[in-house]
Amino acid sequence: VEEIAVTPANINDGKAGPDTLPDNPGEVFADSAYCGNHFGDAVRAKGGTPRIVATGMWGKDEAETLARLDAWNQPIHRIRGRIEKIFGTWKRSYGLRRMRWRGLAKAGVQIRITAIAYNMKRSLNIIAMAG
């Protein structure tokens, strides 16, 4: 985990997404919450390529349309699965099912400390596998 952005719960992910993008982000993988033009245009404006999961496509032939949808989503799901695994580990093993404190600043501290702990444990695993 290299960067973290914490937003209030009443802010939609798709609306907060463009503010969290770094310069020249490369490929940006996202779920269907980011499917609007607002996010995709922001990624392109910063020099990146949006890779957003599609939930539906139009077409006359249903089988062909489903095949196109699967072909589009398959490479995205492969990468997003590795990304979402981090959040699952945080929830399951690091206590992020609930926030300990109220307030954006305190929640941000909790998430950043969790990310540091996760990175330290992950680096130990990587070193052990290399040795």
Side-chain angles (χ1 to χ4, degrees), residues 18 21-26 37-50:
L21 290 170
D23 292 333
N24 197 12
N37 290 337
H38 181 68
F39 183 73
D41 292 344
V43 171
R44 285 185 210 88
K46 291 206 173 190
T49 306

Side-chain angles (χ1 to χ4, degrees), residues 6 95-103 106-108 110-111:
V6 181
L96 277 187
R97 285 192 188 277
R98 294 177 182 253
M99 300 309 293
R100 285 185 192 271
W101 302 286
R102 289 182 181 224
K106 292 176 187 175
Q110 181 183 353
I111 292 171

Side-chain angles (χ1 to χ4, degrees), residues 16-76:
D19 297 332
T20 62
L21 290 170
D23 292 333
N24 197 12
E27 289 185 312
V28 178
F29 292 86
D31 61 15
S32 59
Y34 299 90
C35 68
N37 290 337
H38 181 68
F39 183 73
D41 292 344
V43 171
R44 285 185 210 88
K46 291 206 173 190
T49 306
R51 300 285 184 233
I52 301 169
V53 172
T55 56
M57 289 186 174
W58 294 96
K60 292 183 180 182
D61 183 20
E62 184 177 354
E64 178 188 331
T65 303
L66 289 175
R68 282 189 305 140
L69 184 65
D70 189 50
W72 173 262
N73 285 337
Q74 190 60 35
I76 297 171

